[in-house]
Coordinates of all heavy atoms in Angstrom, one line a residue:
M1 N 70.1 131.7 -3.2 CA 71.5 131.3 -3.0 C 71.5 129.8 -2.6 O 70.6 129.3 -2.0 CB 72.1 132.2 -1.9 CG 73.6 131.9 -1.6 SD 74.5 132.6 -3.0 CE 76.0 131.7 -2.8
V2 N 72.6 129.2 -3.0 CA 72.8 127.8 -2.7 C 73.2 127.5 -1.3 O 74.0 128.3 -0.7 CB 73.8 127.2 -3.7 CG1 74.1 125.7 -3.3 CG2 73.4 127.3 -5.1
F3 N 72.6 126.6 -0.6 CA 72.9 126.2 0.7 C 74.2 125.5 0.7 O 74.3 124.4 0.2 CB 71.8 125.4 1.4 CG 72.1 125.0 2.8 CD1 72.0 125.9 3.8 CD2 72.4 123.6 3.1 CE1 72.3 125.5 5.1 CE2 72.7 123.3 4.4 CZ 72.6 124.2 5.4
E4 N 75.2 126.0 1.4 CA 76.6 125.5 1.3 C 77.0 125.0 2.7 O 77.0 125.8 3.6 CB 77.6 126.5 0.8 CG 79.0 125.9 0.7 CD 79.9 127.0 0.2 OE1 79.5 128.0 -0.3 OE2 81.1 126.7 0.4
K5 N 77.2 123.7 2.8 CA 77.7 123.1 4.1 C 79.2 122.8 3.9 O 79.6 122.4 2.8 CB 77.0 121.8 4.4 CG 75.7 122.0 5.1 CD 75.2 120.6 5.6 CE 74.7 119.8 4.4 NZ 73.9 118.7 4.8
S6 N 80.0 122.8 4.9 CA 81.3 122.4 4.8 C 81.4 120.9 4.9 O 80.4 120.2 5.3 CB 82.2 123.1 5.9 OG 81.8 122.5 7.2
L7 N 82.6 120.4 4.6 CA 82.8 118.9 4.8 C 82.6 118.5 6.2 O 82.0 117.4 6.5 CB 84.2 118.5 4.3 CG 84.6 117.1 4.4 CD1 83.6 116.2 3.6 CD2 86.0 116.9 4.0
T8 N 83.1 119.3 7.1 CA 83.0 119.0 8.6 C 81.5 118.9 9.0 O 81.1 118.0 9.7 CB 83.7 120.0 9.4 OG1 85.1 120.1 8.9 CG2 83.8 119.6 10.9
A9 N 80.7 119.8 8.5 CA 79.3 119.8 8.9 C 78.6 118.6 8.3 O 77.7 118.0 8.9 CB 78.6 121.1 8.4
M10 N 79.0 118.2 7.1 CA 78.4 117.1 6.5 C 78.7 115.8 7.2 O 77.9 114.9 7.5 CB 78.8 116.9 5.0 CG 78.0 115.8 4.3 SD 78.5 115.6 2.6 CE 80.0 114.7 2.8
V11 N 80.0 115.6 7.7 CA 80.4 114.5 8.4 C 79.7 114.4 9.8 O 79.2 113.4 10.2 CB 81.9 114.5 8.6 CG1 82.4 113.4 9.6 CG2 82.6 114.3 7.3
K12 N 79.6 115.6 10.4 CA 78.8 115.6 11.7 C 77.4 115.3 11.5 O 76.8 114.6 12.3 CB 78.9 117.0 12.3 CG 80.3 117.3 12.9 CD 80.3 118.7 13.5 CE 81.7 119.0 14.1 NZ 81.8 120.3 14.7
G13 N 76.8 115.7 10.4 CA 75.4 115.3 10.1 C 75.2 113.9 9.8 O 74.2 113.3 10.2
I14 N 76.2 113.2 9.1 CA 76.1 111.8 8.9 C 76.2 111.0 10.2 O 75.4 110.1 10.5 CB 77.2 111.4 7.9 CG1 77.0 111.9 6.5 CG2 77.3 109.8 7.9 CD1 78.1 111.7 5.6
R15 N 77.1 111.5 11.1 CA 77.2 110.8 12.4 C 76.0 111.0 13.3 O 75.6 110.2 14.1 CB 78.4 111.4 13.1 CG 79.7 110.9 12.5 CD 80.9 111.4 13.2 NE 82.2 111.0 12.6 CZ 83.3 111.5 13.0 NH1 83.5 112.4 13.9 NH2 84.4 111.0 12.3
A16 N 75.3 112.2 13.1 CA 74.2 112.5 13.9 C 72.9 111.7 13.5 O 72.0 111.5 14.3 CB 73.8 114.0 13.9
H17 N 72.9 111.2 12.2 CA 71.8 110.5 11.7 C 72.0 109.0 11.7 O 71.8 108.4 10.6 CB 71.4 111.0 10.3 CG 70.8 112.4 10.3 ND1 71.6 113.5 10.3 CD2 69.5 112.8 10.3 CE1 70.8 114.6 10.3 NE2 69.5 114.1 10.3
R18 N 72.5 108.5 12.8 CA 72.7 107.0 12.8 C 71.4 106.3 12.6 O 70.4 106.7 13.1 CB 73.3 106.6 14.2 CG 74.7 107.2 14.4 CD 75.5 106.2 15.1 NE 76.8 106.8 15.5 CZ 77.9 106.5 14.8 NH1 77.8 105.7 13.8 NH2 79.0 107.1 15.1
G19 N 71.4 105.3 11.8 CA 70.2 104.5 11.5 C 69.6 104.9 10.2 O 69.0 104.0 9.5
N20 N 69.7 106.2 9.8 CA 69.1 106.6 8.5 C 70.1 107.5 7.8 O 69.8 108.6 7.3 CB 67.8 107.3 8.7 CG 67.8 108.5 9.6 OD1 68.9 108.8 10.2 ND2 66.8 109.3 9.6
E21 N 71.4 107.0 7.8 CA 72.4 107.8 7.1 C 72.2 107.9 5.6 O 72.5 109.0 5.0 CB 73.8 107.1 7.3 CG 74.3 107.0 8.7 CD 74.0 105.7 9.3 OE1 73.3 104.9 8.8 OE2 74.5 105.5 10.5
S22 N 71.6 106.9 5.0 CA 71.4 107.0 3.5 C 70.4 108.1 3.2 O 70.6 108.7 2.1 CB 70.9 105.6 3.0 OG 69.7 105.2 3.6
E23 N 69.4 108.3 4.0 CA 68.5 109.4 3.7 C 69.2 110.7 3.8 O 69.0 111.6 3.0 CB 67.3 109.3 4.7 CG 66.3 110.4 4.5 CD 65.2 110.2 5.6 OE1 64.8 109.1 5.9 OE2 64.7 111.3 6.1
Y24 N 70.0 110.9 4.8 CA 70.7 112.2 5.0 C 71.7 112.4 3.9 O 71.9 113.5 3.3 CB 71.5 112.2 6.3 CG 72.3 113.4 6.6 CD1 71.6 114.6 6.9 CD2 73.6 113.5 6.4 CE1 72.3 115.8 7.1 CE2 74.3 114.6 6.5 CZ 73.7 115.8 6.9 OH 74.4 116.9 7.1
I25 N 72.4 111.3 3.5 CA 73.4 111.4 2.4 C 72.7 111.7 1.1 O 73.2 112.5 0.2 CB 74.2 110.1 2.3 CG1 75.1 110.0 3.5 CG2 75.0 110.0 1.0 CD1 75.9 108.7 3.6
N26 N 71.5 111.1 0.8 CA 70.8 111.5 -0.4 C 70.4 112.9 -0.5 O 70.4 113.5 -1.5 CB 69.5 110.6 -0.5 CG 69.9 109.1 -0.9 OD1 70.9 108.9 -1.5 ND2 69.0 108.2 -0.5
T27 N 70.0 113.5 0.7 CA 69.7 115.0 0.7 C 71.0 115.8 0.5 O 71.0 116.8 -0.2 CB 69.0 115.4 2.0 OG1 69.8 115.1 3.1 CG2 67.6 114.7 2.1
S28 N 72.1 115.3 1.0 CA 73.4 116.0 0.9 C 73.8 115.9 -0.6 O 74.3 116.9 -1.1 CB 74.5 115.3 1.7 OG 74.2 115.5 3.1
I29 N 73.6 114.8 -1.3 CA 73.9 114.7 -2.7 C 73.1 115.6 -3.5 O 73.6 116.3 -4.5 CB 73.8 113.2 -3.2 CG1 74.9 112.4 -2.6 CG2 73.9 113.1 -4.7 CD1 74.9 110.9 -2.8
A30 N 71.8 115.8 -3.2 CA 71.0 116.7 -3.9 C 71.5 118.2 -3.7 O 71.5 119.0 -4.7 CB 69.5 116.6 -3.4
E31 N 71.9 118.5 -2.5 CA 72.5 119.8 -2.3 C 73.8 120.0 -3.0 O 74.1 121.1 -3.6 CB 72.7 120.1 -0.8 CG 71.5 120.2 0.0 CD 71.7 120.2 1.5 OE1 72.9 120.1 1.9 OE2 70.7 120.2 2.3
I32 N 74.6 119.0 -3.1 CA 75.9 119.0 -3.8 C 75.7 119.2 -5.3 O 76.4 120.0 -6.0 CB 76.7 117.7 -3.5 CG1 77.2 117.7 -2.1 CG2 77.9 117.6 -4.5 CD1 77.8 116.4 -1.6
K33 N 74.6 118.6 -5.8 CA 74.3 118.8 -7.3 C 74.0 120.2 -7.6 O 74.3 120.7 -8.6 CB 73.1 117.9 -7.7 CG 73.5 116.4 -7.8 CD 72.4 115.6 -8.3 CE 72.8 114.1 -8.4 NZ 71.7 113.3 -8.9
K34 N 73.3 120.9 -6.6 CA 73.0 122.3 -6.8 C 74.3 123.2 -6.7 O 74.5 124.1 -7.4 CB 72.0 122.8 -5.8 CG 70.6 122.2 -6.0 CD 69.7 122.7 -5.0 CE 68.3 122.0 -5.2 NZ 67.4 122.3 -4.0
E35 N 75.2 122.8 -5.7 CA 76.4 123.5 -5.6 C 77.4 123.4 -6.8 O 78.1 124.3 -7.1 CB 77.1 123.0 -4.3 CG 76.5 123.4 -3.0 CD 77.1 122.8 -1.8 OE1 78.1 122.1 -1.9 OE2 76.6 123.0 -0.7
I36 N 77.3 122.2 -7.4 CA 78.2 122.0 -8.6 C 77.8 122.9 -9.7 O 78.6 123.3 -10.6 CB 78.2 120.5 -8.9 CG1 79.1 119.8 -8.0 CG2 78.6 120.3 -10.4 CD1 79.4 118.4 -8.3
Q37 N 76.6 123.3 -9.8 CA 76.1 124.1 -10.9 C 76.5 125.6 -10.7 O 76.2 126.4 -11.6 CB 74.6 124.0 -11.1 CG 74.2 122.6 -11.5 CD 72.7 122.4 -11.5 OE1 71.9 123.3 -11.1 NE2 72.2 121.3 -12.0
S38 N 77.0 125.9 -9.6 CA 77.4 127.3 -9.2 C 78.6 127.7 -10.1 O 79.4 126.9 -10.6 CB 77.8 127.4 -7.8 OG 78.4 128.6 -7.5
T39 N 78.7 129.0 -10.4 CA 79.8 129.6 -11.1 C 81.0 129.9 -10.2 O 82.1 130.2 -10.7 CB 79.4 130.8 -11.9 OG1 78.9 131.8 -11.0 CG2 78.4 130.5 -12.9
N40 N 80.7 129.9 -8.9 CA 81.8 130.2 -7.9 C 82.6 129.0 -7.7 O 82.2 127.9 -7.3 CB 81.1 130.6 -6.6 CG 82.1 131.0 -5.5 OD1 83.3 131.0 -5.8 ND2 81.6 131.4 -4.4
M41 N 83.9 129.1 -8.0 CA 84.8 128.0 -8.0 C 85.1 127.5 -6.6 O 85.3 126.3 -6.4 CB 86.1 128.3 -8.7 CG 86.1 128.2 -10.2 SD 85.6 126.5 -10.7 CE 85.1 126.8 -12.3
A42 N 85.0 128.4 -5.6 CA 85.2 127.9 -4.2 C 84.1 127.0 -3.8 O 84.3 126.0 -3.1 CB 85.3 129.1 -3.3
T43 N 82.9 127.4 -4.2 CA 81.7 126.5 -3.8 C 81.8 125.2 -4.6 O 81.5 124.1 -4.0 CB 80.4 127.3 -4.2 OG1 80.3 128.5 -3.6 CG2 79.2 126.5 -3.9
K44 N 82.1 125.3 -5.8 CA 82.3 124.0 -6.6 C 83.4 123.1 -6.1 O 83.2 121.9 -6.0 CB 82.6 124.4 -8.1 CG 82.3 123.3 -9.0 CD 82.5 123.7 -10.5 CE 81.3 124.5 -10.9 NZ 81.3 124.7 -12.4
S45 N 84.5 123.7 -5.6 CA 85.6 123.0 -5.0 C 85.2 122.3 -3.7 O 85.5 121.1 -3.5 CB 86.7 123.9 -4.8 OG 87.8 123.2 -4.2
M46 N 84.4 123.0 -2.9 CA 83.9 122.4 -1.7 C 82.9 121.2 -2.0 O 83.0 120.2 -1.3 CB 83.2 123.4 -0.8 CG 82.6 122.9 0.5 SD 83.9 122.1 1.6 CE 84.8 123.5 2.0
A47 N 82.1 121.4 -3.0 CA 81.2 120.3 -3.4 C 82.0 119.1 -3.9 O 81.6 117.9 -3.6 CB 80.3 120.8 -4.5
I48 N 83.0 119.3 -4.6 CA 83.9 118.2 -5.1 C 84.6 117.5 -3.9 O 84.7 116.2 -3.9 CB 84.9 118.7 -6.1 CG1 84.2 119.2 -7.4 CG2 85.9 117.6 -6.4 CD1 83.4 118.1 -8.1
L49 N 85.0 118.2 -2.9 CA 85.6 117.7 -1.7 C 84.6 116.8 -1.0 O 85.0 115.7 -0.6 CB 86.1 118.8 -0.8 CG 86.9 118.4 0.4 CD1 88.2 117.7 -0.1 CD2 87.3 119.6 1.2
K50 N 83.4 117.2 -0.9 CA 82.4 116.4 -0.2 C 82.1 115.2 -1.0 O 81.8 114.1 -0.5 CB 81.1 117.2 0.0 CG 81.3 118.3 1.0 CD 80.0 119.0 1.4 CE 79.7 120.1 0.4 NZ 78.5 120.9 0.7
L51 N 82.0 115.3 -2.3 CA 81.8 114.1 -3.2 C 83.0 113.1 -3.1 O 82.7 111.9 -3.1 CB 81.6 114.5 -4.6 CG 80.3 115.0 -5.0 CD1 80.3 115.5 -6.5 CD2 79.2 114.0 -4.8
A52 N 84.2 113.6 -2.9 CA 85.3 112.7 -2.7 C 85.2 111.9 -1.4 O 85.5 110.7 -1.4 CB 86.6 113.5 -2.7
Y53 N 84.7 112.6 -0.4 CA 84.4 111.9 0.9 C 83.3 110.8 0.7 O 83.5 109.7 1.2 CB 84.1 112.9 2.0 CG 83.7 112.2 3.3 CD1 84.7 111.7 4.1 CD2 82.4 112.1 3.7 CE1 84.5 111.0 5.3 CE2 82.1 111.4 4.9 CZ 83.1 110.9 5.7 OH 82.9 110.3 6.9
L54 N 82.3 111.2 0.0 CA 81.2 110.2 -0.2 C 81.6 109.0 -1.0 O 81.1 107.9 -0.9 CB 80.0 110.9 -0.8 CG 79.2 111.9 0.1 CD1 78.1 112.6 -0.6 CD2 78.7 111.2 1.4
T55 N 82.6 109.3 -1.9 CA 83.1 108.2 -2.8 C 83.8 107.2 -1.9 O 83.8 106.0 -2.1 CB 84.0 108.7 -3.8 OG1 83.3 109.6 -4.7 CG2 84.6 107.6 -4.7
M56 N 84.5 107.7 -0.9 CA 85.2 106.8 0.1 C 84.3 106.0 0.9 O 84.6 104.9 1.3 CB 86.1 107.6 1.0 CG 87.3 108.3 0.4 SD 88.3 109.1 1.6 CE 88.7 110.6 0.7
L57 N 83.0 106.5 1.0 CA 82.0 105.7 1.7 C 81.3 104.7 0.8 O 80.4 104.0 1.2 CB 81.0 106.6 2.3 CG 81.5 107.5 3.5 CD1 80.3 108.4 4.0 CD2 82.1 106.7 4.6
G58 N 81.6 104.8 -0.5 CA 81.0 103.8 -1.5 C 79.9 104.4 -2.4 O 79.3 103.6 -3.1
Y59 N 79.7 105.7 -2.4 CA 78.7 106.3 -3.2 C 79.4 106.7 -4.6 O 80.5 106.9 -4.7 CB 78.1 107.5 -2.6 CG 77.2 107.1 -1.4 CD1 77.7 106.9 -0.2 CD2 75.8 106.9 -1.6 CE1 76.9 106.6 0.9 CE2 75.0 106.5 -0.6 CZ 75.6 106.4 0.7 OH 74.7 106.0 1.7
D60 N 78.5 106.7 -5.6 CA 79.0 107.0 -7.0 C 79.0 108.5 -7.2 O 78.1 109.2 -6.9 CB 78.1 106.3 -8.0 CG 78.5 106.4 -9.4 OD1 79.7 106.4 -9.6 OD2 77.7 106.6 -10.3
M61 N 80.1 108.9 -7.9 CA 80.2 110.3 -8.2 C 80.6 110.5 -9.7 O 81.1 111.6 -10.0 CB 81.2 111.1 -7.3 CG 82.6 110.7 -7.5 SD 83.7 111.9 -6.7 CE 84.2 112.9 -8.0
T62 N 80.4 109.5 -10.5 CA 80.8 109.6 -11.9 C 80.1 110.7 -12.6 O 80.5 111.2 -13.7 CB 80.7 108.3 -12.6 OG1 79.3 107.8 -12.5 CG2 81.6 107.2 -12.0
W63 N 78.9 111.1 -12.1 CA 78.1 112.1 -12.8 C 78.8 113.5 -12.7 O 78.4 114.4 -13.4 CB 76.7 112.1 -12.2 CG 76.7 112.2 -10.7 CD1 76.6 111.2 -9.9 CD2 76.7 113.4 -9.9 NE1 76.6 111.6 -8.6 CE2 76.6 113.0 -8.6 CE3 76.8 114.8 -10.2 CZ2 76.7 113.9 -7.5 CZ3 76.8 115.7 -9.2 CH2 76.7 115.2 -7.9
A64 N 79.8 113.6 -11.8 CA 80.4 114.9 -11.6 C 81.8 115.0 -12.2 O 82.6 115.9 -11.7 CB 80.4 115.2 -10.1
T65 N 82.1 114.2 -13.1 CA 83.5 114.2 -13.6 C 83.9 115.5 -14.3 O 85.0 116.0 -14.2 CB 83.8 113.0 -14.6 OG1 82.8 113.0 -15.6 CG2 83.7 111.7 -13.8
F66 N 82.9 116.1 -15.1 CA 83.3 117.3 -15.7 C 83.5 118.5 -14.7 O 84.4 119.3 -14.9 CB 82.2 117.8 -16.7 CG 82.5 119.0 -17.5 CD1 83.4 118.9 -18.5 CD2 81.9 120.2 -17.3 CE1 83.8 120.0 -19.3 CE2 82.3 121.3 -18.0 CZ 83.2 121.2 -19.0
A67 N 82.8 118.5 -13.6 CA 83.0 119.5 -12.6 C 84.4 119.3 -11.9 O 85.0 120.3 -11.6 CB 81.9 119.4 -11.5
V68 N 84.8 118.0 -11.8 CA 86.2 117.8 -11.3 C 87.2 118.4 -12.2 O 88.1 119.0 -11.8 CB 86.4 116.3 -11.1 CG1 87.8 116.0 -10.8 CG2 85.5 115.7 -10.0
V69 N 87.0 118.2 -13.5 CA 88.0 118.8 -14.5 C 87.9 120.3 -14.4 O 89.0 121.0 -14.5 CB 87.6 118.3 -15.9 CG1 88.5 119.0 -16.9 CG2 87.9 116.8 -16.0
E70 N 86.7 120.9 -14.3 CA 86.6 122.4 -14.1 C 87.4 122.9 -12.9 O 88.1 123.9 -13.0 CB 85.2 122.8 -14.0 CG 84.4 122.8 -15.3 CD 83.0 123.2 -15.1 OE1 82.4 123.0 -14.0 OE2 82.4 123.8 -16.0
V71 N 87.3 122.2 -11.8 CA 87.9 122.6 -10.6 C 89.5 122.4 -10.7 O 90.2 123.3 -10.3 CB 87.4 121.8 -9.4 CG1 88.3 122.0 -8.1 CG2 86.0 122.2 -9.1
M72 N 89.9 121.4 -11.4 CA 91.3 121.2 -11.6 C 91.9 122.2 -12.5 O 93.1 122.4 -12.5 CB 91.5 119.8 -12.2 CG 91.3 118.7 -11.3 SD 91.4 117.0 -12.0 CE 93.0 117.0 -12.8
S73 N 91.1 122.9 -13.3 CA 91.7 123.8 -14.3 C 91.7 125.3 -13.8 O 92.1 126.2 -14.5 CB 90.9 123.8 -15.6 OG 89.6 124.3 -15.4
T74 N 91.4 125.5 -12.5 CA 91.4 126.9 -12.0 C 92.9 127.3 -11.7 O 93.8 126.4 -11.7 CB 90.6 127.0 -10.7 OG1 91.2 126.1 -9.7 CG2 89.2 126.6 -10.9
N75 N 93.1 128.5 -11.5 CA 94.4 129.1 -11.2 C 94.9 128.9 -9.8 O 96.1 128.9 -9.5 CB 94.5 130.5 -11.6 CG 94.3 130.7 -13.1 OD1 94.7 129.9 -13.9 ND2 93.8 131.9 -13.5
R76 N 94.0 128.9 -8.8 CA 94.4 128.8 -7.4 C 94.6 127.4 -7.0 O 93.7 126.5 -7.2 CB 93.3 129.5 -6.6 CG 93.1 131.0 -6.9 CD 92.2 131.7 -5.9 NE 92.8 131.6 -4.6 CZ 92.1 131.4 -3.5 NH1 90.8 131.2 -3.6 NH2 92.7 131.4 -2.4
F77 N 95.7 127.1 -6.3 CA 96.0 125.8 -5.9 C 95.0 125.3 -4.9 O 94.7 124.1 -4.8 CB 97.4 125.7 -5.4 CG 97.8 124.3 -5.0 CD1 98.0 123.3 -5.9 CD2 98.0 124.0 -3.6 CE1 98.4 122.0 -5.5 CE2 98.3 122.7 -3.3 CZ 98.5 121.7 -4.2
G78 N 94.6 126.2 -4.0 CA 93.6 125.8 -2.9 C 92.3 125.2 -3.5 O 91.7 124.4 -2.9
T79 N 91.9 125.7 -4.6 CA 90.7 125.2 -5.2 C 91.0 124.0 -6.1 O 90.1 123.2 -6.4 CB 89.9 126.3 -6.0 OG1 90.8 126.9 -7.0 CG2 89.4 127.4 -5.1
K80 N 92.2 123.9 -6.6 CA 92.6 122.8 -7.4 C 92.7 121.5 -6.6 O 92.4 120.4 -7.2 CB 94.0 123.0 -8.1 CG 94.0 123.8 -9.3 CD 95.3 123.9 -9.9 CE 95.3 124.7 -11.1 NZ 96.6 124.6 -11.9
R81 N 93.2 121.6 -5.4 CA 93.5 120.4 -4.6 C 92.3 119.4 -4.5 O 92.6 118.2 -4.7 CB 93.9 120.8 -3.2 CG 94.5 119.6 -2.4 CD 94.9 120.0 -1.0 NE 96.0 121.0 -1.1 CZ 96.4 121.6 -0.1 NH1 95.9 121.4 1.1 NH2 97.4 122.5 -0.2
P82 N 91.1 119.8 -4.2 CA 90.0 118.8 -4.2 C 89.8 118.1 -5.5 O 89.4 117.0 -5.6 CB 88.8 119.6 -3.8 CG 89.3 120.8 -3.0 CD 90.6 121.1 -3.7
G83 N 90.0 118.8 -6.6 CA 89.9 118.2 -7.9 C 90.9 117.1 -8.2 O 90.6 116.1 -8.7
Y84 N 92.1 117.4 -7.8 CA 93.2 116.4 -7.9 C 92.9 115.2 -7.0 O 93.1 114.0 -7.4 CB 94.5 116.9 -7.6 CG 95.1 117.8 -8.7 CD1 95.5 119.1 -8.4 CD2 95.2 117.4 -10.0 CE1 96.0 120.0 -9.4 CE2 95.6 118.2 -11.0 CZ 96.1 119.5 -10.7 OH 96.5 120.3 -11.6
L85 N 92.3 115.4 -5.8 CA 92.0 114.3 -4.9 C 90.9 113.5 -5.5 O 90.9 112.3 -5.4 CB 91.5 114.9 -3.6 CG 91.0 113.9 -2.5 CD1 92.1 113.0 -2.0 CD2 90.3 114.6 -1.4
A86 N 89.9 114.1 -6.1 CA 88.7 113.4 -6.6 C 89.0 112.7 -8.0 O 88.2 111.8 -8.4 CB 87.5 114.4 -6.8
S87 N 90.1 113.1 -8.7 CA 90.3 112.5 -10.0 C 90.9 111.1 -9.9 O 91.2 110.5 -9.0 CB 91.2 113.4 -10.8 OG 92.5 113.5 -10.2

């Protein structure tokens, strides 16, 4: 099973790793890449939400554009919202 962290847990982890944030963020991006490959839309939506946050910090997420479109095309608005935010 894929290790799934919430956005709040990721932000707390970034704050806890002062001085080596980039190392923690790189491991988080590796986990997000695994979460995006999931067929569960809730997991994929959470991964997109975390990527949107990392984009605000200056990291590139262009490799996940198709996953954003997938999340935007779901039927539930709660899972669509991160896709619209990230687009």
Side-chain angles (χ1 to χ4, degrees):
M1 186 71 199
V2 175
F3 179 71
E4 183 182 343
K5 278 190 282 195
S6 67
L7 176 62
T8 308
M10 188 181 79
V11 171
K12 286 180 182 180
I14 291 171
R15 290 180 181 172
H17 288 86
R18 293 217 187 259
N20 60 352
E21 294 98 353
S22 62
E23 181 181 320
Y24 180 79
I25 289 173
N26 287 334
T27 58
S28 294
I29 289 174
E31 292 171 0
I32 290 170
K33 285 182 179 181
K34 291 177 184 173
E35 290 174 2
I36 282 187
Q37 295 173 354
S38 171
T39 57
N40 185 357
M41 279 299 159
T43 302
K44 198 175 282 195
S45 178
M46 180 58 68
I48 295 298
L49 187 61
K50 291 187 278 189
L51 279 176
Y53 177 75
L54 291 177
T55 299
M56 290 183 224
L57 295 180
Y59 289 87
D60 182 38
M61 69 166 263
T62 56
W63 51 268
T65 53
F66 186 73
V68 171
V69 172
E70 283 181 329
V71 169
M72 287 172 56
S73 68
T74 62
N75 293 331
R76 297 188 64 220
F77 182 72
T79 55
K80 278 185 178 189
R81 187 182 298 174
Y84 287 125
L85 174 69
S87 65

